Amino acid sequence: MPWTEKMRQAIKSSATVPGTIHTDMRASGHLAEELLSGYNDVNYRWVSWDNWTYERTFDVPAALLTKQVVNLVAVGVDTVSKIYVNDQLVGETVNQYVRYAFDVKKVVKSGQNTIRVAFESALTYSR
């Protein structure tokens, strides 16, 4: 199936982390067949050309905020992304093979927080 404007509509799905956009799209039924079956590496090429965002909530215990430093550690983030905590940009990634640590003490709060990782297509970025 070639890329079409209809595919540009928002796709919402659950995700598994760690994981990949292809496995998440397959599990949610947005990709009908396995990526490495037949010509699907070509048919599903549009997935790699698009940008994807993962988001979830998490709880922070009040005791954590008494610490001098509160780091968010990211390992294996593939590849180009901006990371937001409570809608505040806390860091950017450009290399999957680098371990990142971002100080988030000023942006996290006791109780429920939100993290959003906005991935830019590595193909678009490299152009």
Side-chain angles (χ1 to χ4, degrees), residues 16-38:
T16 301
V17 176
T20 71
I21 188 61
H22 289 92
T23 55
D24 293 334
M25 297 277 286
R26 178 78 173 106
S28 66
H30 289 95
L31 298 180
E33 298 176 4
E34 293 296 330
L35 177 65
L36 298 178
S37 174

Side-chain angles (χ1 to χ4, degrees), residues 47-98:
V47 174
S48 298
W49 284 100
D50 216 335
N51 301 323
W52 299 97
T53 301
Y54 283 64
E55 184 174 338
R56 71 165 297 156
T57 58
F58 63 99
D59 289 320
V60 172
L64 184 64
L65 300 178
T66 65
K67 305 294 182 186
Q68 190 171 11
V69 176
V70 178
N71 280 331
L72 169 66
V73 178
V75 179
V77 179
D78 185 13
T79 287
V80 182
S81 75
K82 292 184 179 181
I83 301 173
Y84 300 86
V85 173
N86 297 328
D87 294 322
Q88 300 294 313
L89 179 66
V90 296
E92 298 183 31
T93 67
V94 293
N95 186 334
Q96 177 180 4
Y97 303 105
V98 173

Side-chain angles (χ1 to χ4, degrees), residues 2-18:
W3 184 89
T4 66
E5 189 59 36
K6 184 175 184 181
M7 292 177 185
R8 296 287 307 165
Q9 296 174 1
I11 296 172
K12 293 192 177 196
S13 172
S14 61
T16 301
V17 176

